[in-house]
Protein backbone atom coordinates (compact mmCIF):
# COMPACT_ATOMS: atom_id res chain seq x y z
CA UNK A 1 0.00 0.00 0.00
CA UNK A 2 1.26 3.44 -0.89
CA UNK A 3 0.77 5.98 1.83
CA UNK A 4 0.36 9.48 0.56
CA UNK A 5 2.40 11.60 2.93
CA UNK A 6 1.87 15.28 2.17
CA UNK A 7 5.19 16.94 1.42
CA UNK A 8 5.85 20.18 3.12
CA UNK A 9 5.37 23.16 0.83
CA UNK A 10 8.85 24.30 -0.18
CA UNK A 11 10.02 27.73 -1.26
CA UNK A 12 10.56 28.42 -4.93
CA UNK A 13 13.50 30.69 -4.32
CA UNK A 14 15.73 28.54 -6.51
CA UNK A 15 13.73 29.99 -9.42
CA UNK A 16 14.79 33.47 -8.43
CA UNK A 17 16.24 35.24 -11.46
CA UNK A 18 15.14 32.40 -13.73
CA UNK A 19 11.42 33.03 -14.24
CA UNK A 20 10.68 33.23 -17.99
CA UNK A 21 9.80 36.65 -19.40
CA UNK A 22 6.15 37.30 -20.18
CA UNK A 23 6.08 38.86 -23.64
CA UNK A 24 2.45 38.62 -24.74
CA UNK A 25 -1.04 38.88 -23.31
CA UNK A 26 -1.20 35.09 -23.60
CA UNK A 27 1.96 34.73 -21.50
CA UNK A 28 0.41 36.94 -18.82
CA UNK A 29 -2.87 35.02 -18.89
CA UNK A 30 -0.96 31.78 -18.56
CA UNK A 31 1.19 33.00 -15.66
CA UNK A 32 -1.76 34.55 -13.85
CA UNK A 33 -3.74 31.32 -14.22
CA UNK A 34 -0.80 29.29 -12.91
CA UNK A 35 -0.39 31.52 -9.87
CA UNK A 36 -4.14 31.52 -9.21
CA UNK A 37 -4.18 27.72 -9.41
CA UNK A 38 -1.34 27.53 -6.88
CA UNK A 39 -3.16 29.99 -4.65
CA UNK A 40 -6.28 27.80 -4.83
CA UNK A 41 -4.26 24.66 -4.05
CA UNK A 42 -2.58 26.31 -1.06
CA UNK A 43 -5.98 27.46 0.21
CA UNK A 44 -7.36 23.96 -0.18
CA UNK A 45 -4.50 22.47 1.87
CA UNK A 46 -5.52 24.56 4.86
CA UNK A 47 -9.26 24.81 4.30
CA UNK A 48 -9.36 28.45 3.21
CA UNK A 49 -11.58 30.09 0.60
CA UNK A 50 -9.41 31.35 -2.33
CA UNK A 51 -11.69 34.40 -2.50
CA UNK A 52 -9.97 35.49 0.72
CA UNK A 53 -6.62 35.89 -1.03
CA UNK A 54 -5.90 38.85 -3.30
CA UNK A 55 -3.14 38.51 -5.88
CA UNK A 56 -1.21 41.77 -6.28
CA UNK A 57 0.97 41.59 -9.41
CA UNK A 58 4.27 43.44 -8.88
CA UNK A 59 5.54 45.27 -11.96
CA UNK A 60 8.68 46.99 -10.66
CA UNK A 61 11.50 47.48 -13.22
CA UNK A 62 9.25 46.26 -16.02
CA UNK A 63 8.66 48.61 -18.97
CA UNK A 64 5.35 50.29 -19.70
CA UNK A 65 4.70 47.86 -22.58
CA UNK A 66 4.79 44.92 -20.16
CA UNK A 67 2.42 46.66 -17.77
CA UNK A 68 0.00 47.26 -20.62
CA UNK A 69 0.08 43.56 -21.51
CA UNK A 70 -0.62 42.70 -17.88
CA UNK A 71 -3.55 45.10 -17.89
CA UNK A 72 -4.88 43.55 -21.09
CA UNK A 73 -4.64 40.14 -19.37
CA UNK A 74 -6.87 41.42 -16.59
CA UNK A 75 -4.62 43.05 -13.96
CA UNK A 76 -6.39 46.06 -12.44
CA UNK A 77 -3.94 46.87 -9.66
CA UNK A 78 -0.17 46.82 -9.88
CA UNK A 79 2.42 46.90 -7.12
CA UNK A 80 5.54 49.05 -7.48
CA UNK A 81 8.43 49.29 -5.07
CA UNK A 82 9.83 52.75 -5.81
CA UNK A 83 7.54 55.80 -5.59
CA UNK A 84 9.23 57.72 -8.42
CA UNK A 85 9.13 54.79 -10.83
CA UNK A 86 5.49 54.17 -9.92
CA UNK A 87 4.59 57.84 -10.37
CA UNK A 88 6.26 57.93 -13.79
CA UNK A 89 4.34 54.84 -14.91
CA UNK A 90 1.06 56.21 -13.56
CA UNK A 91 1.58 59.43 -15.52
CA UNK A 92 2.38 57.50 -18.70
CA UNK A 93 -0.68 55.26 -18.36
CA UNK A 94 -3.42 57.69 -17.46
CA UNK A 95 -5.41 56.39 -20.44
CA UNK A 96 -5.98 53.15 -18.48
CA UNK A 97 -8.41 54.72 -16.07
CA UNK A 98 -9.33 51.47 -14.31
CA UNK A 99 -5.73 50.71 -13.34
CA UNK A 100 -4.89 51.31 -9.67
CA UNK A 101 -1.52 51.43 -7.95
CA UNK A 102 -0.12 49.97 -4.76
CA UNK A 103 3.24 51.25 -3.49
CA UNK A 104 4.90 48.39 -1.62
CA UNK A 105 8.38 49.79 -0.94
CA UNK A 106 9.97 52.07 1.62
CA UNK A 107 8.96 55.71 1.43
CA UNK A 108 10.97 58.78 2.33
CA UNK A 109 8.98 61.77 3.56
CA UNK A 110 10.03 63.88 0.59
CA UNK A 111 8.31 61.40 -1.77
CA UNK A 112 5.03 61.37 0.15
CA UNK A 113 3.56 63.96 -2.19
CA UNK A 114 3.97 61.59 -5.14
CA UNK A 115 2.28 58.69 -3.39
CA UNK A 116 -0.54 60.93 -2.15
CA UNK A 117 -1.27 61.98 -5.70
CA UNK A 118 -1.81 58.63 -7.41
CA UNK A 119 -1.62 55.57 -5.14
CA UNK A 120 -4.66 53.66 -3.89
CA UNK A 121 -2.66 51.67 -1.40
CA UNK A 122 0.64 51.97 0.48
CA UNK A 123 1.97 48.81 2.08
CA UNK A 124 5.19 49.93 3.75
CA UNK A 125 4.18 52.34 6.49
CA UNK A 126 6.78 52.13 9.24
CA UNK A 127 7.18 55.57 10.82
CA UNK A 128 5.08 58.40 12.19
CA UNK A 129 7.08 60.87 10.12
CA UNK A 130 5.89 59.15 6.96
CA UNK A 131 2.34 58.94 8.31
CA UNK A 132 2.42 62.70 8.99
CA UNK A 133 3.83 63.53 5.56
CA UNK A 134 1.25 61.35 3.81
CA UNK A 135 -1.61 62.77 5.87
CA UNK A 136 -0.65 66.36 5.03
CA UNK A 137 -0.32 65.64 1.31
CA UNK A 138 -3.49 63.53 1.17
CA UNK A 139 -5.46 66.33 2.81
CA UNK A 140 -4.16 68.72 0.16
CA UNK A 141 -5.19 66.31 -2.59
CA UNK A 142 -8.54 65.53 -0.97
CA UNK A 143 -7.69 61.83 -1.13
CA UNK A 144 -7.52 58.85 1.20
CA UNK A 145 -5.08 55.93 1.15
CA UNK A 146 -5.32 52.30 2.26
CA UNK A 147 -2.23 51.50 4.32
CA UNK A 148 -0.48 48.45 5.71
CA UNK A 149 2.00 48.67 8.56
CA UNK A 150 5.26 46.97 7.60
CA UNK A 151 6.74 44.67 10.22
CA UNK A 152 10.26 43.26 10.20
CA UNK A 153 9.62 39.60 11.00
CA UNK A 154 13.01 38.26 9.91
CA UNK A 155 15.10 40.23 12.39
CA UNK A 156 17.46 41.24 9.58
CA UNK A 157 18.88 44.71 10.07
CA UNK A 158 18.68 45.26 6.31
CA UNK A 159 14.90 44.94 6.21
CA UNK A 160 12.61 47.88 6.66
CA UNK A 161 9.63 47.75 8.97
CA UNK A 162 8.86 48.08 12.65
CA UNK A 163 10.13 45.55 15.14
CA UNK A 164 7.19 43.37 16.22
CA UNK A 165 7.19 44.84 19.74
CA UNK A 166 6.90 48.40 18.38
CA UNK A 167 3.69 47.81 16.43
CA UNK A 168 1.15 48.09 19.27
CA UNK A 169 2.22 51.62 20.26
CA UNK A 170 2.47 52.63 16.60
CA UNK A 171 -1.12 51.55 15.92
CA UNK A 172 -2.37 53.64 18.85
CA UNK A 173 -1.04 56.76 17.12
CA UNK A 174 -2.65 56.11 13.73
CA UNK A 175 -6.27 57.22 14.33
CA UNK A 176 -4.91 60.80 14.34
CA UNK A 177 -4.34 60.45 10.58
CA UNK A 178 -7.82 60.50 9.13
CA UNK A 179 -6.73 60.13 5.50
CA UNK A 180 -4.95 56.85 6.25
CA UNK A 181 -7.23 53.81 6.27
CA UNK A 182 -5.30 51.12 8.12
CA UNK A 183 -6.05 47.70 6.61
CA UNK A 184 -3.51 45.39 8.17
CA UNK A 185 0.12 44.31 8.37
CA UNK A 186 2.75 43.58 5.73
CA UNK A 187 6.04 41.72 5.86
CA UNK A 188 8.89 40.37 3.76
CA UNK A 189 10.04 36.97 4.99
CA UNK A 190 13.60 35.88 5.33
CA UNK A 191 14.98 35.15 1.87
CA UNK A 192 16.06 31.58 2.42
CA UNK A 193 15.60 28.09 1.02
CA UNK A 194 15.02 26.90 4.58
CA UNK A 195 11.26 26.59 4.44
CA UNK A 196 10.76 26.40 8.17
CA UNK A 197 12.57 29.68 8.82
CA UNK A 198 10.56 31.37 6.07
CA UNK A 199 7.33 30.00 7.51
CA UNK A 200 8.22 31.31 10.97
CA UNK A 201 8.22 34.88 9.61
CA UNK A 202 4.65 34.42 8.38
CA UNK A 203 3.57 32.76 11.61
CA UNK A 204 5.02 35.69 13.52
CA UNK A 205 3.01 38.23 11.51
CA UNK A 206 -0.22 36.25 11.94
CA UNK A 207 0.17 35.75 15.68
CA UNK A 208 1.16 39.40 16.11
CA UNK A 209 -2.03 40.39 14.29
CA UNK A 210 -4.16 38.15 16.53
CA UNK A 211 -2.64 39.71 19.62
CA UNK A 212 -2.95 43.30 18.38
CA UNK A 213 -6.50 42.93 17.18
CA UNK A 214 -7.93 42.94 20.69
CA UNK A 215 -6.47 46.33 21.59
CA UNK A 216 -6.52 47.99 18.19
CA UNK A 217 -7.99 51.49 18.36
CA UNK A 218 -11.41 52.12 16.81
CA UNK A 219 -11.21 52.47 13.04
CA UNK A 220 -7.95 50.56 12.78
CA UNK A 221 -8.68 47.33 10.95
CA UNK A 222 -6.17 44.52 10.97
CA UNK A 223 -8.04 42.22 8.62
CA UNK A 224 -5.31 42.09 6.00
CA UNK A 225 -2.01 40.23 6.06
CA UNK A 226 0.17 41.06 3.06
CA UNK A 227 2.86 38.41 2.92
CA UNK A 228 4.41 36.14 0.33
CA UNK A 229 6.10 36.73 -3.05
CA UNK A 230 7.03 34.56 -6.04
CA UNK A 231 9.28 32.28 -4.03
CA UNK A 232 7.14 31.81 -0.94
CA UNK A 233 3.51 32.88 -1.45
CA UNK A 234 2.11 29.38 -1.08
CA UNK A 235 3.65 29.06 2.37
CA UNK A 236 2.34 32.54 3.25
CA UNK A 237 -1.19 31.51 2.24
CA UNK A 238 -0.97 28.41 4.41
CA UNK A 239 -0.19 30.80 7.27
CA UNK A 240 -3.03 33.23 6.58
CA UNK A 241 -1.95 35.72 3.90
CA UNK A 242 -4.85 37.75 2.47
CA UNK A 243 -2.64 39.59 -0.04
CA UNK A 244 0.29 38.04 -1.92
CA UNK A 245 2.69 40.30 -3.85
CA UNK A 246 3.91 38.38 -6.88
CA UNK A 247 6.31 39.86 -9.43
CA UNK A 248 8.65 37.51 -11.24
CA UNK A 249 6.28 34.55 -11.47
CA UNK A 250 3.93 36.78 -13.50
CA UNK A 251 6.23 39.25 -15.31
CA UNK A 252 9.44 37.24 -15.52
CA UNK A 253 12.80 37.63 -13.80
CA UNK A 254 14.14 41.12 -13.18
CA UNK A 255 17.43 42.31 -14.62
CA UNK A 256 18.48 44.10 -11.43
CA UNK A 257 19.72 42.35 -8.29
CA UNK A 258 17.48 42.60 -5.25
CA UNK A 259 19.99 44.77 -3.42
CA UNK A 260 18.57 47.54 -5.61
CA UNK A 261 15.22 47.26 -3.80
CA UNK A 262 16.20 45.94 -0.44
CA UNK A 263 19.41 47.69 0.56
CA UNK A 264 21.83 45.41 2.31
CA UNK A 265 20.23 42.30 0.87
CA UNK A 266 22.92 39.87 -0.17
CA UNK A 267 21.34 36.47 0.39
CA UNK A 268 19.34 36.71 -2.84
CA UNK A 269 22.54 36.57 -4.85
CA UNK A 270 23.18 33.08 -3.59
CA UNK A 271 20.22 31.89 -5.63
CA UNK A 272 21.22 33.76 -8.76
CA UNK A 273 24.59 32.14 -9.35
C1 LIG B 1 9.64 42.94 -5.55
C2 LIG B 1 8.78 42.77 -4.37
C3 LIG B 1 7.88 41.70 -4.29
C4 LIG B 1 7.74 40.65 -5.37
O1 LIG B 1 8.88 39.86 -5.49
P1 LIG B 1 8.93 38.70 -6.62
O2 LIG B 1 10.09 37.88 -6.27
O3 LIG B 1 9.11 39.43 -7.91
O4 LIG B 1 7.63 38.01 -6.58
C5 LIG B 1 7.09 41.60 -3.16
N1 LIG B 1 7.17 42.51 -2.18
C6 LIG B 1 8.00 43.56 -2.22
C7 LIG B 1 8.03 44.53 -1.10
C8 LIG B 1 8.83 43.73 -3.33
O5 LIG B 1 9.67 44.78 -3.37
Amino acid sequence: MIIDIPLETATRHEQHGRWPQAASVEDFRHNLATVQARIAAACQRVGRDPAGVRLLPVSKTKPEASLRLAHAAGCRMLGENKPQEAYRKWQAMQDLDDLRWSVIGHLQTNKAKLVARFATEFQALDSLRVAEALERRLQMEGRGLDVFVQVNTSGEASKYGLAPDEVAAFLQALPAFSALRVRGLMTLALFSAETERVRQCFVLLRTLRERLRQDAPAGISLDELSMGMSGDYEIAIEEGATVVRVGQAIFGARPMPDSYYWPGESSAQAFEA
Side-chain angles (χ1 to χ4, degrees):
M1 187 174 117
I2 296 167
I3 300 168
D4 191 13
I5 300 167
L7 292 170
E8 225 221 332
T9 310
T11 71
R12 245 175 258 283
H13 287 318
E14 78 289 348
Q15 276 269 25
H16 201 81
R18 301 206 176 99
W19 297 95
Q21 297 304 319
S24 66
V25 179
E26 283 317 310
D27 288 348
F28 277 98
R29 286 210 183 101
H30 171 84
N31 292 349
L32 288 163
T34 302
V35 173
Q36 291 290 9
R38 290 188 180 283
I39 288 173
C43 284
Q44 195 173 23
R45 286 197 289 279
V46 292
R48 295 186 58 195
D49 178 356
V53 180
R54 167 162 63 104
L55 171 59
L56 175 63
V58 175
S59 51
K60 67 190 189 197
T61 77
K62 297 298 175 182
E64 185 186 328
S66 276
L67 277 62
R68 287 184 179 277
L69 292 175
H71 177 267
C75 298
R76 290 297 176 265
M77 194 189 239
L78 294 174
E80 285 279 338
N81 184 288
K82 290 185 177 289
Q84 273 161 311
E85 178 182 341
Y87 184 74
R88 226 186 325 107
K89 288 173 171 172
W90 167 72
Q91 279 187 311
M93 285 183 258
Q94 302 248 352
D95 55 308
L96 304 180
D97 54 15
D98 60 350
L99 182 58
R100 295 177 304 141
W101 300 86
S102 177
V103 173
I104 60 175
H106 184 71
L107 182 62
Q108 289 168 320
T109 51
N110 62 352
K111 309 274 167 51
K113 63 173 179 292
L114 299 183
V115 172
R117 202 163 293 159
F118 77 96
T120 297
E121 182 175 271
F122 173 55
Q123 294 206 0
L125 184 64
D126 64 357
S127 79
L128 288 178
R129 287 183 62 233
V130 167
E132 279 158 14
L134 281 171
E135 173 73 15
R136 196 161 58 82
R137 292 293 178 169
L138 287 162
Q139 294 291 354
M140 289 165 68
E141 300 279 343
R143 299 184 74 237
L145 186 66
D146 290 337
V147 299
F148 290 61
V149 175
Q150 185 173 354
V151 183
N152 181 341
T153 55
S154 66
E156 295 164 292
S158 64
K159 291 258 164 73
Y160 289 115
L162 295 169
D165 64 3
E166 295 171 337
V167 182
F170 186 73
L171 291 179
Q172 295 299 324
L174 294 184
F177 307 104
S178 60
L180 303 182
R181 299 180 294 252
V182 181
R183 300 299 192 206
L185 307 177
M186 178 272 222
T187 201
L188 275 160
L190 189 72
F191 193 91
S192 166
E194 291 175 64
T195 299
E196 219 20 67
R197 294 181 66 202
V198 173
R199 185 181 293 278
Q200 282 319 307
C201 296
F202 300 139
V203 170
L204 201 160
L205 197 70
R206 170 166 50 78
T207 52
L208 180 67
R209 191 269 303 268
E210 300 316 327
R211 245 187 304 129
L212 294 172
R213 245 183 181 165
Q214 290 141 32
D215 302 318
I220 302 294
S221 143
L222 294 180
D223 291 339
E224 306 283 348
L225 289 178
S226 175
M227 51 190 201
M229 40 199 267
S230 293
D232 57 18
Y233 67 90
E234 293 157 273
I235 301 169
I237 289 168
E238 290 173 356
E239 298 302 337
T242 65
V243 181
V244 291
R245 310 175 307 266
V246 178
Q248 300 175 81
I250 295 171
F251 282 83
R254 286 180 294 272
M256 259 94 93
D258 281 339
S259 53
Y260 181 73
Y261 304 96
W262 307 320
E265 191 78 17
S266 57
S267 48
Q269 266 69 53
F271 295 94
E272 284 169 359

